[in-house]
Amino acid sequence: MTICSAPGKIFLCGEHAVVYGEPAIACAIDLRTRVSIQESLDTSITSKLGRGIDRHPYVLKAIERMKMLTEFDGVKVKIDSEIPPESGLGSSAAVTIATLSAINMEFDVGLSDEEIAELGHSIEVEIQGAASPTDTFISTMGGVVLMPSRRRLKNLDYGFVVGDTGKTSSTKELVGRVSLLRERYPDVVQMIFNAIGAIAKRGEHLIEEGDCSAIGELMNINQGLLESLGVGCPELSAQIYAARDAGAFGAKITGAGGGGCMVALVSHDHAEKVAKAIEEAGGRAIKARVTEVGVATEDE
Ligand code: PMV
């Protein structure tokens, strides 16, 4: 049996625009999904989401792809995740990468981390229709990364407080909604994407300088641009304003939006106050930090 775990992620800036090639900055966070793989005659999947294999399209696709590279009848898969599903924290990427990596180890397939990230991305594209390589790359490699160049940036010495609305959202649907808006108003939407990309370019230098108040201010601007793309919702806005009022450097949606999670950048002394404000605004607050650890094997 092999157990692998992979982290979730937050977007400091750049979601949606990154699907069209603009730069974005994402950070792996210390919430992980663990997947255990054991060779078996047939395939079964157990997780809190339920036993049925149909509930796990990413895991099924990962098994199918690995079967093209090595021979096995089936696998017993057990999933244990700290990452809320369909909430903008990269849960699909984490389960895909942990599954690919555990099968890779269990059957000595010999794929490198880069190949696993690539394979994970192609699975996301196949299932979602369109997906940037951000989630799968970050989940494999960990750390703070500028996409699509994959340049690793300095680790952030600040904390995050994530606010979960508890309302799940479909990345595929939200990406589709933005794509329709782009078809209707290509000139306008392209300028919004360019502005989001400019935030990531600035952010790259601000991270190196450690200027958290400017990063926070740019996160707030990024939030306005995400709102203009129609991916906001009242629950997210309530938590975003509450976090800013409680002293966060900045706060915005993370991931596809339309529900899911927001993220606030905070100093360590403000984390508790911001978490409380998010809870009072109706969210579930999760304190998170950047992790350098990407996909990794775990002891049984
Ligand atoms: O909500 P998530 O964690 O699946 O993130 C989606 C991020 C998008 O930029 C909207 C899509 C993508 O594939 O990058």
Side-chain angles (χ1 to χ4, degrees), residues 2-297:
T2 305
I3 306 177
C4 282
S5 74
K9 62 98 219 344
I10 58 99
F11 271 97
L12 208 55
C13 55
E15 53 272 86
H16 285 291
V18 72
V19 176
Y20 299 91
E22 290 292 332
I25 300 173
C27 314
I29 53 170
D30 54 356
L31 295 177
R32 303 184 74 84
T33 295
R34 288 175 187 80
V35 174
S36 83
I37 291 286
Q38 193 169 16
E39 188 168 12
S40 168
L41 285 177
D42 47 20
T43 290
S44 63
I45 305 174
T46 318
S47 90
K48 277 192 208 135
L49 292 181
R51 265 186 164 271
I53 52 173
D54 301 344
R55 285 167 175 262
H56 303 281
Y58 293 89
V59 177
L60 278 185
K61 195 55 78 185
I63 296 168
E64 187 186 305
R65 291 294 188 86
M66 291 307 276
K67 272 191 173 170
M68 292 174 176
L69 301 174
T70 187
E71 241 177 76
F72 58 94
D73 292 323
V75 277
K76 236 185 222 159
V77 186
K78 277 197 192 131
I79 306 166
D80 179 18
S81 184
E82 300 161 355
I83 311 169
E86 297 180 316
S87 300
L89 298 180
S91 66
S92 314
V95 80
T96 307
I97 295 302
T99 304
L100 289 172
S101 191
I103 297 177
N104 186 43
M105 309 272 294
E106 179 74 7
F107 298 101
D108 285 324
V109 184
L111 295 180
S112 65
D113 280 353
E114 284 73 14
E115 286 167 328
I116 285 179
E118 248 341 282
L119 198 51
H121 177 222
S122 74
I123 289 171
E124 284 214 324
V125 171
E126 194 178 329
I127 294 178
Q128 290 173 21
S132 76
T134 312
D135 289 19
T136 37
F137 186 81
I138 301 283
S139 195
T140 311
M141 305 297 180
V144 181
V145 180
L146 178 74
M147 295 300 290
S149 70
R150 295 166 172 75
R151 192 166 97 79
R152 203 163 178 117
L153 305 179
K154 215 168 93 178
N155 199 346
L156 283 164
D157 188 28
Y158 325 114
F160 294 111
V161 185
V162 170
D164 185 0
T165 60
K167 191 170 137 184
T168 56
S169 74
S170 150
T171 302
K172 181 176 179 173
E173 192 193 312
L174 272 295
V175 168
R177 213 191 281 175
V178 172
S179 157
L180 287 178
L181 199 67
R182 179 171 175 263
E183 273 168 33
R184 282 205 297 284
Y185 312 106
D187 43 347
V188 177
V189 171
Q190 189 53 50
M191 282 166 85
I192 298 171
F193 288 163
N194 291 347
I196 293 176
I199 289 174
K201 281 182 207 141
R202 286 252 179 172
E204 181 186 355
H205 302 294
L206 294 169
I207 287 175
E208 299 299 328
E209 290 159 17
D211 188 346
C212 43
S213 22
I215 296 170
E217 206 163 17
L218 287 174
M219 286 171 75
N220 293 343
I221 298 174
N222 195 159
Q223 171 59 19
L225 295 164
L226 285 168
E227 278 286 349
S228 73
L229 292 175
V231 299
C233 72
E235 293 89 340
L236 284 168
S237 292
Q239 292 175 41
I240 287 166
Y241 281 113
R244 289 178 191 164
D245 286 346
F249 292 120
K252 61 180 275 294
I253 290 166
T254 178
C261 293
M262 51 75 69
V263 64
L265 179 67
V266 295
S267 66
H268 298 305
D269 347 329
H270 274 87
E272 200 50 58
K273 198 170 163 211
V274 170
K276 194 160 169 267
I278 288 173
E279 300 251 337
E280 278 166 9
R284 181 169 75 95
I286 309 167
K287 283 187 230 146
R289 306 202 53 158
V290 172
T291 178
E292 292 285 336
V293 185
V295 68
T297 46

